[in-house]
Amino acid sequence: FAQTKWGGATNIQLHVQSLHSLTNLLPLSGSGELRLADATTDWGRAQQLQLAATLAHSTNTLMDSSWAWWTNFAPFALNWDCRVSGVQSPKLQADEVFCAGQWLAPELKIDKLSAKLYRGTLDAKASLDVASREFSFSGASDFDAQKITPLLTPGARKWLSNYSWKTPPSASAEGTLVLPAWTNRQPDWRAEVQPTLRLSGQVHATDCAFRNVPVSTADTHFTYTNMVWRLPDITLTRPEGRMTLFHESNDRTKDYYFKINSAIDPGALRPLFQSNQWHAVELVTFSQPPAISGEIWGRWHDNERLNARAHVAITNFALRGQTASRLEATLEYTNKFLKVIEPRCYRGTQEMSAASVLIDFAGQRAFLTNGFGVVDPLPIARAIGPKIGRHIEPYRFYEPVAIHAEGVIPFRDEKVADLHFIVDGHSFEWWKFRVGHVSGKIDWVGQQLNLRDIVADFYRGTAVGAAEFDFKAKPGAEFSFNLVATDADIHLLAADLTGKTNKLEGRLTTRLDITRCYTTNWQNSVQGNGRANLRDGLIWDIPIFGIFSPVLDTIMPGLGNSRAREGSATFSIKNGVARSNDLEIQTMMARLQYHGTIDLQGNVNAYVEAEPLRNTWVVGPVISLALWPVSKAFEYKISGTLHKPESEPLFIPKFMFMPFHPVKTIKDLLPEDSNPQTETPSESP
């Protein structure tokens, strides 16, 4: 056992022999061998060490002062090999290390350097030309490089921390560099040496990850020259597809460039983004990976210089849960703006396109230019955002609609909205109305939604109108609208409004202006006015008019079911109650006049007067004047509801109407039973 201030060892064996001249203490030649065990130093320890070397005299005299201290070794030729096993230190552990080399001025060679460490091996060789200071090397490894991070610089450790693997990757490389002048005692390695570095090699890895993004395999060749990294064929594979990249990075300017072809799931890249950056991507779900080919360039650590351009083709995906079969577009990104050029999207046979969509990430909005499609608008509105989806939901199209759209789409704050649509579609439904065709313009500006220039087929007639919705009122919205309907078939209109069959006939022309209403309490908040005209109508199936039918039929058969040649009324609406003082219906032989109110729950409070035979040809006015006292029998107060009205004569006792309504008159005259009992009917014999 031997111990010095540098370290200690056991089982030390040293064999040396040399040849000297009588006039010089330096040996002319020699050889030696050192063996020891359990070597310990301040840097670490080794179980075994074997070192063998031979020394010979060299006649090389080609040297100058630039060699500096290397001139001391120029007269000699040296060969050596060294084997160390069981190496342990705070920064490195190895099962075995072997090194063999030679010195013959001006060249120092390491012919073989091999090591077994960290579940793999390292094999390398190197040479140094002292005269030119050129250092060349080559090597291959498959050990776990994460284990040698204590030996690396802080920058190298940070770079390597981006990668992880289950099986250590294999790598091979070769290169050259020029060392600083031997006389330079304080060299600037980055400025003097890095520009001279020439490097090339390749890497292969399986079951690895980059920033927690897992891949099945990763392969690439690489070169480094003139301070520029080039990785021309990065290939990453995952179960769903593969990605290939070309990468170039300039260490001098910090500029970088990527060319990408990808068929992997973008969701796998989520760990690369911050949560707020990923939110927009998270809105999209894919049933199969999109095909992406593009370029990214910029400057490291300077996000303001990030630029990108790509062509994207996506099949079978969903945005906010709204599915689409295919999307193609070209993307450009710069200065926190993403421009989508000529996007084209398909939903089965439906198609949408646009000249461009510009997405402002900082402003949380998008600018749509010349968007056009023949589509169902509701899924599009829901994909834009849940609020606009809810606003559009009451307006239903059951066939694809031709839509032209332009403007600003908000992502969060609807106050920045400035979106405009032109719509032309068929099979439209809103509330209880159904129309075969409708066209118009929709303006979504801030918290207001306006419908204008609306033209529709309206129950075999036509309708035009406009509407305004103000969503500043919370909850719900304040709205107003106007409508002019011409020659609408009241049979079809009443069937949709009531949901029941009817025997009504006639053509209705009406104007309706609703000046204010609230969606949360619309039945009690409606304000407005209007006018209605009816021609060629058969309206006795409406209960509020039908109360006179049997009475008029008694006077003259068929009079109570005669066709109304004309009807008209003006009305006003206040707090959900409509009032008319001039509702008048003209039949071929009679005239009916109404005045009173009806609310949107259908409650009626009105007075009506019938003038039998008033419109009899030529003699009608004379007969009406002669029968004026009798006409008082046909003045009624109407109450109850629109569908179940109750009538009461104003001037004639009820019992006098027995001939006209025998059953109803008797029932009305009898007092109501305050304690009605239900009797079980007896069985028929």
Side-chain angles (χ1 to χ4, degrees), residues 290-564:
I292 302 173
S293 59
E295 303 169 286
I296 302 174
W297 66 97
R299 181 163 293 176
W300 295 115
H301 311 301
D302 186 354
N303 292 333
E304 298 298 326
R305 299 204 178 201
L306 175 61
N307 298 273
R309 182 180 178 88
H311 181 78
V312 178
I314 311 175
T315 303
N316 298 328
F317 69 100
L319 173 60
R320 283 194 168 100
Q322 306 306 308
T323 60
S325 52
R326 184 169 177 80
L327 169 67
E328 288 191 44
T330 298
L331 311 180
E332 292 183 350
Y333 178 87
T334 184
N335 296 327
K336 296 184 180 180
F337 283 88
L338 175 63
K339 187 175 185 179
V340 185
I341 303 170
E342 295 184 351
R344 190 173 296 273
C345 184
Y346 303 86
R347 299 187 76 241
T349 59
Q350 302 176 30
E351 179 180 350
M352 297 165 283
S353 63
S356 67
V357 179
L358 181 63
I359 300 174
D360 177 5
F361 290 102
Q364 291 290 295
R365 56 187 174 175
F367 300 85
L368 173 64
T369 302
N370 198 26
F372 180 78
V374 181
V375 295
D376 181 354
L378 183 57
I380 309 303
R382 288 171 173 168
I384 293 173
K387 287 186 178 180
I388 186 62
R390 289 192 295 270
H391 297 337
I392 296 298
E393 193 167 20
Y395 308 92
R396 293 271 188 167
F397 286 91
Y398 293 95
E399 293 182 14
V401 184
I403 301 176
H404 180 269
E406 283 196 330
V408 181
I409 304 170
F411 292 162
R412 292 184 179 175
D413 186 1
E414 60 186 24
K415 294 179 183 178
V416 303
D418 190 7
L419 191 59
H420 306 274
F421 300 89
I422 300 176
V423 178
D424 192 325
H426 295 79
S427 299
F428 173 72
E429 181 177 310
W430 172 71
W431 192 47
K432 296 182 179 182
F433 296 107
R434 294 182 296 173
V435 300
H437 173 263
V438 64
S439 63
K441 299 175 182 178
I442 303 173
D443 301 314
W444 179 25
V445 180
Q447 293 179 292
Q448 288 189 316
L449 184 69
N450 298 332
L451 285 67
R452 56 190 178 89
D453 299 339
I454 304 299
V455 179
D457 295 338
F458 193 73
Y459 298 95
R460 296 181 181 174
T462 60
V464 297
E468 296 182 0
F469 296 83
D470 189 334
F471 297 102
K472 291 193 292 291
K474 303 295 182 182
E478 178 184 345
F479 70 91
S480 62
F481 68 88
N482 62 79
L483 171 71
V484 176
T486 305
D487 287 338
D489 187 324
I490 65 168
H491 171 76
L492 301 176
L493 177 59
D496 278 355
L497 289 176
T498 64
K500 299 178 181 179
T501 59
N502 65 81
K503 297 179 181 179
L504 300 175
E505 296 181 16
R507 294 288 183 165
L508 177 67
T509 296
T510 184
R511 173 185 58 80
L512 178 61
D513 289 320
I514 300 300
T515 57
R516 178 178 293 180
C517 186
Y518 294 93
T519 57
T520 53
N521 186 26
W522 66 275
Q523 290 183 326
N524 296 315
S525 63
V526 176
Q527 315 289 330
N529 60 79
R531 179 178 179 83
N533 293 88
L534 175 70
R535 63 179 177 82
D536 196 23
L538 192 60
I539 60 172
W540 306 111
D541 206 25
I542 301 176
I544 196 171
F545 299 131
I547 60 175
F548 284 104
S549 183
V551 179
L552 295 174
D553 274 343
T554 304
I555 297 173
M556 179 181 292
L559 180 60
N561 290 291
S562 61
R563 189 176 295 273

Side-chain angles (χ1 to χ4, degrees), residues 35-110:
R35 294 174 180 265
L36 53 84
D38 297 326
T40 60
T41 69
D42 292 339
W43 302 282
R45 57 173 301 186
Q47 294 178 353
Q48 300 286 338
L49 182 145
Q50 299 179 23
L51 174 62
T54 61
L55 180 68
H57 185 70
S58 173
T59 59
N60 187 353
T61 58
L62 298 176
M63 56 183 177
D64 55 44
S65 59
S66 65
W67 285 34
W69 47 271
W70 284 100
T71 57
N72 299 322
F73 301 99
F76 303 99
L78 179 66
N79 290 275
W80 79 91
D81 64 71
C82 179
R83 187 181 302 274
V84 185
S85 61
V87 177
Q88 294 188 8
S89 74
K91 295 184 177 182
L92 179 68
Q93 296 181 13
D95 298 329
E96 185 177 88
V97 178
F98 176 79
C99 180
Q102 58 178 302
W103 159 253
L104 181 61
E107 189 172 36
L108 174 65
K109 288 185 177 181
I110 299 176

Side-chain angles (χ1 to χ4, degrees), residues 659-682:
F660 309 117
H661 301 283
V663 177
K664 184 178 184 302
T665 302
I666 293 173
K667 183 179 178 181
D668 290 345
L669 291 174
L670 292 176
E672 294 185 1
D673 188 352
S674 59
N675 296 299
Q677 296 180 356
T678 302
E679 297 183 0
T680 304
S682 59

Side-chain angles (χ1 to χ4, degrees), residues 58-348:
S58 173
T59 59
N60 187 353
T61 58
L62 298 176
M63 56 183 177
D64 55 44
S65 59
S66 65
W67 285 34
W69 47 271
W70 284 100
T71 57
N72 299 322
F73 301 99
F76 303 99
L78 179 66
N79 290 275
W80 79 91
D81 64 71
C82 179
R83 187 181 302 274
V84 185
S85 61
V87 177
Q88 294 188 8
S89 74
K91 295 184 177 182
L92 179 68
Q93 296 181 13
D95 298 329
E96 185 177 88
V97 178
F98 176 79
C99 180
Q102 58 178 302
W103 159 253
L104 181 61
E107 189 172 36
L108 174 65
K109 288 185 177 181
I110 299 176
D111 296 317
K112 183 175 180 61
L113 173 63
S114 65
K116 295 179 180 179
L117 69 169
Y118 303 122
R119 297 188 294 159
T121 60
L122 168 67
D123 290 292
K125 59 182 180 179
S127 65
L128 172 64
D129 187 321
V130 173
S132 64
R133 306 192 311 281
E134 182 177 275
F135 176 71
S136 60
F137 56 91
S138 63
S141 70
D142 59 4
F143 65 90
D144 189 349
Q146 295 283 6
K147 303 295 185 181
I148 64 168
T149 53
L151 299 174
L152 304 178
T153 64
R157 287 197 296 269
K158 183 178 180 180
W159 172 81
L160 192 60
S161 67
N162 293 317
Y163 302 90
S164 60
W165 45 73
K166 294 180 180 179
T167 302
S170 60
S172 61
E174 60 182 15
T176 63
L177 57 84
V178 177
L179 294 173
W182 307 119
T183 56
N184 186 353
R185 295 182 177 275
Q186 295 181 336
D188 185 343
W189 290 87
R190 182 176 294 275
E192 297 180 40
V193 177
Q194 189 173 357
T196 69
L197 177 61
R198 304 288 186 271
L199 184 66
S200 63
Q202 62 182 15
V203 177
H204 169 75
T206 59
D207 294 327
C208 54
F210 173 74
R211 293 184 185 175
N212 296 320
V213 177
V215 296
S216 302
T217 64
D219 293 273
T220 187
H221 291 83
F222 60 87
T223 63
Y224 185 84
T225 181
N226 295 324
M227 297 186 71
V228 176
W229 285 100
R230 288 184 180 87
L231 287 74
D233 55 0
I234 304 173
T235 303
L236 309 175
T237 64
R238 285 178 45 85
E240 75 276 10
R242 63 185 294 178
M243 174 188 290
T244 60
L245 302 97
F246 171 89
H247 173 54
E248 188 172 281
S249 180
N250 191 316
D251 280 349
R252 183 179 289 108
T253 64
K254 304 303 179 184
D255 292 333
Y256 64 84
Y257 171 83
F258 289 90
K259 185 174 183 180
I260 303 171
N261 285 281
S262 172
I264 68 172
D265 183 1
L269 306 179
R270 181 170 185 170
L272 300 180
F273 297 86
Q274 297 177 3
S275 58
N276 60 331
Q277 296 173 324
W278 184 252
H279 175 70
V281 183
E282 199 172 39
L283 299 176
V284 187
T285 56
F286 304 92
S287 61
Q288 63 187 77
I292 302 173
S293 59
E295 303 169 286
I296 302 174
W297 66 97
R299 181 163 293 176
W300 295 115
H301 311 301
D302 186 354
N303 292 333
E304 298 298 326
R305 299 204 178 201
L306 175 61
N307 298 273
R309 182 180 178 88
H311 181 78
V312 178
I314 311 175
T315 303
N316 298 328
F317 69 100
L319 173 60
R320 283 194 168 100
Q322 306 306 308
T323 60
S325 52
R326 184 169 177 80
L327 169 67
E328 288 191 44
T330 298
L331 311 180
E332 292 183 350
Y333 178 87
T334 184
N335 296 327
K336 296 184 180 180
F337 283 88
L338 175 63
K339 187 175 185 179
V340 185
I341 303 170
E342 295 184 351
R344 190 173 296 273
C345 184
Y346 303 86
R347 299 187 76 241

